[in-house]
Amino acid sequence: MARNVEFDEAAAIQKAMEVFWKKGYNATSLRDLTDAMKINSSSLYNTIGDKQELFVRCVQHYTDIRKEDWDKRLSSERSPLAILKDYIHEAVNIIINCEDSCMAVKSAFEVATNDERVKKILAADDQRSYQFLHNLIKKAMDKGEIRDDEDPALLADYFNSIWTGWYESFILHGDPIKIKRMAEYFIKQLTK
Amino acid sequence: MARNVEFDEAAAIQKAMEVFWKKGYNATSLRDLTDAMKINSSSLYNTIGDKQELFVRCVQHYTDIRKEDWDKRLSSERSPLAILKDYIHEAVNIIINCEDSCMAVKSAFEVATNDERVKKILAADDQRSYQFLHNLIKKAMDKGEIRDDEDPALLADYFNSIWTGWYESFILHGDPIKIKRMAEYFIKQLTK
DNA sequence: TCATTTCTGAAACAATTGTTTCAGAATATT
DNA sequence: AATATTCTGAAACAATTGTTTCAGAAATGA
């Protein structure tokens, strides 16, 4: 009986995400967003909602595409340890190549401390990568590729939290060699 | 020939720092600041400067008191390895007890990406703790307390960047046990 | 084709933003 | 005590904030 929404919501979310990613939640204005999304604020409020709601959707989108991206990167038939090593090298590449750091990390420190919904999304994303690592580590242990005298759950937590500091280091010093050397050391620790 | 400044600038900076620490740079308004500092905005602009300048001063203050705090905590006559272990345990205690995470880390991700002065202050602070660790690690190696088949500079970098991820983990999961277990694993790695 | 519903664009909204103004109070020197 | 200088408080500033309004354009189903 009536009109349909004209703009492509998925594309608009993608654009909004890019702005939030670069500038952070609080430094991004509604004008910044509607400019990038190429929609009017009335359309935004009619379909998605207010700024907070939009941000939640963007964080969710970020973790969604990150999941897909990792699935693609690591969909090999190689051994568990080889995949773990790939994971580390891919992570290093992302850290030293992306201009705006990691949106999940930035949002954890800027928004998750105050916004329960954002915290939940980021915690779920963290849990997902944790599970991925946990499985791989267990398999690698079963195959005897890495020593099995440590709790795989502990190793997965440790593994999973190592990147954030490397992001910070790269922001402060911009030194890719530093990151690469830490990664090599980390791999060495894991295997010996 | 004239009046002196009435308010206690050091105390005002301290108060402003607390607000910035809790809320972040962009979410803090000038009213938030002048309320906490208990001064008028005209006094603020006459003495310290604008919001950015005030923030720079607060970040500097944060790293200053952090330096003093660590000097106090670690001014023991114990062995290098014992001091390294103390360092880890103190860091864990700070991480799992502070409500508003670490201002340096938060500012690195929210502000240092865009503000060169803030980046410089945080990089210098990072460099300071790096040097502290580097010296200790070298001493511990000389004394044979930890194995010396790794570059102490690399170990210091690795050591220095490990905390940030633990802060993030604590924000997302609020689980002190997780942090403590990672710390114990880290110590074990270091010594064996 | 028409009626009905929904979406869009531009403008406006009040509130808040960071910053400035300035008259008068306050004080250090003479 | 007089004077000169500086600081403070309250108010105002324009600009921007997030959000809402609403008339009219658009498109659906009858």
Side-chain angles (χ1 to χ4, degrees), chain A residues 1-3 28-31 41-42 45 51:
Chain A
M1 283 227 193
R3 237 175 131 173
T28 302
S29 76
L30 247 288
R31 264 75 171 178
S41 57
S42 72
Y45 278 79
K51 191 188 175 188

Short mmCIF file of all heavy atoms in Angstrom, two decimals, chain A residues 1-3 28-31 41-42 45 51, chain D residues 17-21 24-29:
data_model
loop_
_atom_site.label_atom_id
_atom_site.label_comp_id
_atom_site.label_asym_id
_atom_site.label_seq_id
_atom_site.Cartn_x
_atom_site.Cartn_y
_atom_site.Cartn_z
N MET A 1 0.81 -1.22 0.00
CA MET A 1 0.00 0.00 0.00
C MET A 1 0.84 1.27 0.00
O MET A 1 0.29 2.34 0.02
CB MET A 1 -0.88 0.02 1.26
CG MET A 1 -2.06 -0.90 1.16
SD MET A 1 -3.54 -0.06 1.69
CE MET A 1 -4.67 -1.42 1.85
N ALA A 2 2.15 1.09 0.12
CA ALA A 2 2.95 2.31 0.24
C ALA A 2 4.36 2.11 -0.27
O ALA A 2 4.72 1.06 -0.76
CB ALA A 2 2.97 2.77 1.67
N ARG A 3 5.09 3.16 -0.11
CA ARG A 3 6.47 3.20 -0.56
C ARG A 3 7.38 2.25 0.22
O ARG A 3 7.14 1.94 1.37
CB ARG A 3 6.97 4.61 -0.28
CG ARG A 3 7.49 5.33 -1.44
CD ARG A 3 7.80 6.73 -0.95
NE ARG A 3 9.12 7.08 -1.36
CZ ARG A 3 9.63 8.28 -1.19
NH1 ARG A 3 8.94 9.22 -0.59
NH2 ARG A 3 10.83 8.55 -1.61
N THR A 28 32.36 11.55 16.43
CA THR A 28 31.58 11.50 15.20
C THR A 28 30.24 12.20 15.38
O THR A 28 29.50 11.89 16.32
CB THR A 28 31.33 10.05 14.78
OG1 THR A 28 32.57 9.37 14.61
CG2 THR A 28 30.54 9.99 13.49
N SER A 29 29.94 13.15 14.51
CA SER A 29 28.66 13.86 14.62
C SER A 29 27.62 13.23 13.69
O SER A 29 27.95 12.52 12.74
CB SER A 29 28.83 15.33 14.27
OG SER A 29 28.94 15.48 12.87
N LEU A 30 26.38 13.54 13.99
CA LEU A 30 25.29 13.04 13.14
C LEU A 30 25.46 13.51 11.70
O LEU A 30 25.15 12.78 10.76
CB LEU A 30 23.95 13.54 13.69
CG LEU A 30 23.01 12.49 14.26
CD1 LEU A 30 22.42 11.65 13.16
CD2 LEU A 30 23.72 11.61 15.28
N ARG A 31 26.00 14.71 11.52
CA ARG A 31 26.24 15.22 10.16
C ARG A 31 27.31 14.39 9.46
O ARG A 31 27.18 14.06 8.28
CB ARG A 31 26.65 16.69 10.20
CG ARG A 31 25.50 17.66 9.98
CD ARG A 31 24.65 17.74 11.21
NE ARG A 31 23.63 18.79 11.22
CZ ARG A 31 22.79 18.93 12.24
NH1 ARG A 31 22.84 18.12 13.28
NH2 ARG A 31 21.88 19.89 12.21
N SER A 41 18.71 12.70 7.85
CA SER A 41 18.59 12.22 9.24
C SER A 41 17.20 11.66 9.53
O SER A 41 17.04 10.77 10.36
CB SER A 41 18.93 13.33 10.22
OG SER A 41 18.10 14.45 10.01
N SER A 42 16.20 12.20 8.84
CA SER A 42 14.84 11.67 9.08
C SER A 42 14.75 10.20 8.65
O SER A 42 14.10 9.40 9.32
CB SER A 42 13.81 12.51 8.34
OG SER A 42 13.88 12.28 6.95
N TYR A 45 16.50 8.12 11.33
CA TYR A 45 15.71 7.93 12.55
C TYR A 45 14.48 7.08 12.29
O TYR A 45 14.00 6.39 13.18
CB TYR A 45 15.34 9.28 13.16
CG TYR A 45 16.46 9.84 14.01
CD1 TYR A 45 17.55 10.48 13.44
CD2 TYR A 45 16.45 9.68 15.40
CE1 TYR A 45 18.59 10.98 14.22
CE2 TYR A 45 17.49 10.17 16.18
CZ TYR A 45 18.56 10.82 15.58
OH TYR A 45 19.59 11.28 16.34
N LYS A 51 21.66 7.73 17.32
CA LYS A 51 23.09 7.56 17.15
C LYS A 51 23.60 6.30 17.86
O LYS A 51 24.41 5.55 17.30
CB LYS A 51 23.81 8.81 17.68
CG LYS A 51 25.29 8.87 17.33
CD LYS A 51 25.98 10.03 18.05
CE LYS A 51 27.47 10.02 17.80
NZ LYS A 51 28.19 11.02 18.62
P DT D 17 28.93 18.95 14.99
OP1 DT D 17 30.15 18.12 15.04
OP2 DT D 17 28.22 19.15 13.72
"O5'" DT D 17 27.92 18.41 16.07
"C5'" DT D 17 28.34 18.30 17.44
"C4'" DT D 17 27.17 18.05 18.34
"O4'" DT D 17 26.38 19.26 18.45
"C3'" DT D 17 26.16 17.03 17.84
"O3'" DT D 17 26.62 15.75 18.21
"C2'" DT D 17 24.91 17.41 18.61
"C1'" DT D 17 25.04 18.93 18.78
N1 DT D 17 24.17 19.77 17.90
C2 DT D 17 22.94 20.18 18.37
O2 DT D 17 22.50 19.84 19.45
N3 DT D 17 22.24 20.98 17.49
C4 DT D 17 22.65 21.41 16.24
O4 DT D 17 21.95 22.14 15.55
C5 DT D 17 23.95 20.93 15.82
C7 DT D 17 24.48 21.34 14.48
C6 DT D 17 24.63 20.15 16.66
P DG D 18 26.09 14.52 17.36
OP1 DG D 18 27.00 13.40 17.67
OP2 DG D 18 25.93 14.97 15.97
"O5'" DG D 18 24.66 14.18 17.94
"C5'" DG D 18 24.51 13.96 19.33
"C4'" DG D 18 23.03 13.99 19.68
"O4'" DG D 18 22.48 15.27 19.28
"C3'" DG D 18 22.18 12.93 18.96
"O3'" DG D 18 21.20 12.42 19.86
"C2'" DG D 18 21.56 13.70 17.81
"C1'" DG D 18 21.38 15.08 18.42
N9 DG D 18 21.39 16.16 17.42
C8 DG D 18 22.27 16.35 16.40
N7 DG D 18 22.01 17.40 15.67
C5 DG D 18 20.87 17.93 16.24
C6 DG D 18 20.11 19.08 15.86
O6 DG D 18 20.30 19.86 14.94
N1 DG D 18 19.02 19.26 16.72
C2 DG D 18 18.71 18.45 17.78
N2 DG D 18 17.63 18.79 18.48
N3 DG D 18 19.41 17.39 18.13
C4 DG D 18 20.47 17.18 17.32
P DT D 19 20.17 11.29 19.32
OP1 DT D 19 19.73 10.48 20.48
OP2 DT D 19 20.74 10.63 18.14
"O5'" DT D 19 18.92 12.16 18.86
"C5'" DT D 19 18.30 13.03 19.82
"C4'" DT D 19 17.18 13.80 19.18
"O4'" DT D 19 17.70 14.71 18.20
"C3'" DT D 19 16.15 12.95 18.43
"O3'" DT D 19 14.92 13.02 19.15
"C2'" DT D 19 16.04 13.58 17.05
"C1'" DT D 19 16.69 14.94 17.25
N1 DT D 19 17.33 15.53 16.04
C2 DT D 19 16.83 16.71 15.52
O2 DT D 19 15.89 17.29 16.01
N3 DT D 19 17.49 17.16 14.40
C4 DT D 19 18.57 16.58 13.75
O4 DT D 19 19.04 17.08 12.75
C5 DT D 19 19.02 15.35 14.34
C7 DT D 19 20.18 14.62 13.72
C6 DT D 19 18.40 14.88 15.45
P DT D 20 13.62 12.27 18.59
OP1 DT D 20 12.80 11.86 19.74
OP2 DT D 20 14.02 11.30 17.56
"O5'" DT D 20 12.87 13.47 17.88
"C5'" DT D 20 12.71 14.69 18.57
"C4'" DT D 20 11.91 15.67 17.74
"O4'" DT D 20 12.71 16.18 16.65
"C3'" DT D 20 10.65 15.08 17.09
"O3'" DT D 20 9.57 15.96 17.37
"C2'" DT D 20 10.97 15.03 15.60
"C1'" DT D 20 11.98 16.15 15.45
N1 DT D 20 12.99 15.98 14.37
C2 DT D 20 13.15 16.99 13.43
O2 DT D 20 12.50 18.01 13.42
N3 DT D 20 14.12 16.73 12.49
C4 DT D 20 14.93 15.61 12.39
O4 DT D 20 15.76 15.50 11.50
C5 DT D 20 14.68 14.60 13.39
C7 DT D 20 15.49 13.33 13.37
C6 DT D 20 13.74 14.83 14.32
P DT D 21 8.05 15.52 17.05
OP1 DT D 21 7.24 15.79 18.25
OP2 DT D 21 8.04 14.18 16.42
"O5'" DT D 21 7.64 16.57 15.93
"C5'" DT D 21 8.21 17.86 15.97
"C4'" DT D 21 8.03 18.58 14.63
"O4'" DT D 21 9.15 18.28 13.77
"C3'" DT D 21 6.77 18.16 13.86
"O3'" DT D 21 6.04 19.33 13.54
"C2'" DT D 21 7.29 17.47 12.61
"C1'" DT D 21 8.67 18.10 12.45
N1 DT D 21 9.69 17.26 11.74
C2 DT D 21 10.40 17.82 10.69
O2 DT D 21 10.23 18.96 10.31
N3 DT D 21 11.32 16.97 10.11
C4 DT D 21 11.58 15.66 10.47
O4 DT D 21 12.43 15.01 9.88
C5 DT D 21 10.80 15.15 11.56
C7 DT D 21 11.00 13.74 12.02
C6 DT D 21 9.90 15.96 12.15
P DG D 24 2.88 21.32 0.63
OP1 DG D 24 3.01 22.63 -0.04
OP2 DG D 24 1.54 20.79 0.97
"O5'" DG D 24 3.64 20.24 -0.26
"C5'" DG D 24 5.01 20.43 -0.56
"C4'" DG D 24 5.61 19.10 -0.99
"O4'" DG D 24 5.59 18.17 0.11
"C3'" DG D 24 4.86 18.41 -2.14
"O3'" DG D 24 5.80 17.83 -3.01
"C2'" DG D 24 4.06 17.34 -1.42
"C1'" DG D 24 5.09 16.94 -0.36
N9 DG D 24 4.57 16.16 0.75
C8 DG D 24 3.41 16.35 1.46
N7 DG D 24 3.22 15.47 2.40
C5 DG D 24 4.34 14.64 2.31
C6 DG D 24 4.69 13.50 3.08
O6 DG D 24 4.08 13.00 4.02
N1 DG D 24 5.91 12.97 2.65
C2 DG D 24 6.66 13.46 1.62
N2 DG D 24 7.79 12.81 1.35
N3 DG D 24 6.34 14.53 0.89
C4 DG D 24 5.17 15.06 1.30
P DA D 25 5.47 17.69 -4.56
OP1 DA D 25 5.82 18.94 -5.27
OP2 DA D 25 4.10 17.12 -4.67
"O5'" DA D 25 6.51 16.56 -5.00
"C5'" DA D 25 7.82 16.53 -4.42
"C4'" DA D 25 8.26 15.10 -4.23
"O4'" DA D 25 7.64 14.55 -3.04
"C3'" DA D 25 7.89 14.18 -5.39
"O3'" DA D 25 9.00 13.36 -5.71
"C2'" DA D 25 6.72 13.35 -4.85
"C1'" DA D 25 7.02 13.31 -3.36
N9 DA D 25 5.84 13.20 -2.49
C8 DA D 25 4.77 14.04 -2.45
N7 DA D 25 3.86 13.69 -1.55
C5 DA D 25 4.38 12.55 -0.97
C6 DA D 25 3.89 11.70 0.05
N6 DA D 25 2.74 11.90 0.68
N1 DA D 25 4.66 10.65 0.40
C2 DA D 25 5.82 10.46 -0.24
N3 DA D 25 6.38 11.18 -1.21
C4 DA D 25 5.60 12.24 -1.54
P DA D 26 8.95 12.37 -6.92
OP1 DA D 26 10.33 12.27 -7.46
OP2 DA D 26 7.82 12.73 -7.79
"O5'" DA D 26 8.59 11.00 -6.20
"C5'" DA D 26 9.48 10.45 -5.25
"C4'" DA D 26 8.93 9.11 -4.78
"O4'" DA D 26 7.77 9.34 -3.95
"C3'" DA D 26 8.50 8.18 -5.92
"O3'" DA D 26 9.05 6.92 -5.67
"C2'" DA D 26 6.97 8.16 -5.81
"C1'" DA D 26 6.75 8.44 -4.33
N9 DA D 26 5.48 9.08 -3.99
C8 DA D 26 4.92 10.17 -4.57
N7 DA D 26 3.77 10.54 -4.02
C5 DA D 26 3.59 9.62 -3.00
C6 DA D 26 2.57 9.46 -2.05
N6 DA D 26 1.50 10.26 -1.96
N1 DA D 26 2.69 8.43 -1.17
C2 DA D 26 3.76 7.64 -1.25
N3 DA D 26 4.78 7.69 -2.11
C4 DA D 26 4.63 8.72 -2.96
P DA D 27 9.32 5.91 -6.86
OP1 DA D 27 10.72 5.44 -6.76
OP2 DA D 27 8.81 6.48 -8.11
"O5'" DA D 27 8.37 4.71 -6.42
"C5'" DA D 27 8.55 4.14 -5.14
"C4'" DA D 27 7.26 3.54 -4.65
"O4'" DA D 27 6.28 4.58 -4.42
"C3'" DA D 27 6.60 2.56 -5.64
"O3'" DA D 27 6.25 1.40 -4.93
"C2'" DA D 27 5.34 3.29 -6.08
"C1'" DA D 27 5.03 4.05 -4.81
N9 DA D 27 4.10 5.17 -4.95
C8 DA D 27 4.11 6.17 -5.87
N7 DA D 27 3.14 7.04 -5.74
C5 DA D 27 2.43 6.57 -4.64
C6 DA D 27 1.29 7.05 -3.99
N6 DA D 27 0.64 8.17 -4.36
N1 DA D 27 0.84 6.35 -2.92
C2 DA D 27 1.50 5.24 -2.56
N3 DA D 27 2.59 4.70 -3.10
C4 DA D 27 3.01 5.42 -4.15
P DT D 28 6.56 -0.02 -5.66
OP1 DT D 28 7.91 -0.45 -5.28
OP2 DT D 28 6.18 0.12 -7.08
"O5'" DT D 28 5.50 -0.99 -4.96
"C5'" DT D 28 5.40 -1.00 -3.52
"C4'" DT D 28 3.96 -0.84 -3.10
"O4'" DT D 28 3.45 0.42 -3.54
"C3'" DT D 28 2.99 -1.87 -3.70
"O3'" DT D 28 2.80 -2.92 -2.77
"C2'" DT D 28 1.70 -1.09 -3.94
"C1'" DT D 28 2.04 0.33 -3.52
N1 DT D 28 1.49 1.42 -4.39
C2 DT D 28 0.35 2.08 -3.98
O2 DT D 28 -0.25 1.81 -2.96
N3 DT D 28 -0.07 3.07 -4.83
C4 DT D 28 0.53 3.47 -6.01
O4 DT D 28 0.06 4.37 -6.69
C5 DT D 28 1.71 2.74 -6.39
C7 DT D 28 2.43 3.07 -7.65
C6 DT D 28 2.14 1.76 -5.56
P DG D 29 2.30 -4.35 -3.27
OP1 DG D 29 2.68 -5.36 -2.26
OP2 DG D 29 2.70 -4.49 -4.68
"O5'" DG D 29 0.72 -4.15 -3.21
"C5'" DG D 29 0.08 -3.95 -1.95
"C4'" DG D 29 -1.35 -3.47 -2.18
"O4'" DG D 29 -1.33 -2.26 -2.97
"C3'" DG D 29 -2.26 -4.48 -2.92
"O3'" DG D 29 -3.48 -4.56 -2.23
"C2'" DG D 29 -2.42 -3.84 -4.31
"C1'" DG D 29 -2.30 -2.35 -3.98
N9 DG D 29 -1.86 -1.50 -5.09
C8 DG D 29 -0.81 -1.75 -5.94
N7 DG D 29 -0.63 -0.79 -6.82
C5 DG D 29 -1.62 0.14 -6.54
C6 DG D 29 -1.92 1.39 -7.16
O6 DG D 29 -1.36 1.92 -8.11
N1 DG D 29 -3.02 1.99 -6.54
C2 DG D 29 -3.71 1.49 -5.47
N2 DG D 29 -4.72 2.23 -5.03
N3 DG D 29 -3.44 0.33 -4.88
C4 DG D 29 -2.38 -0.29 -5.46
#
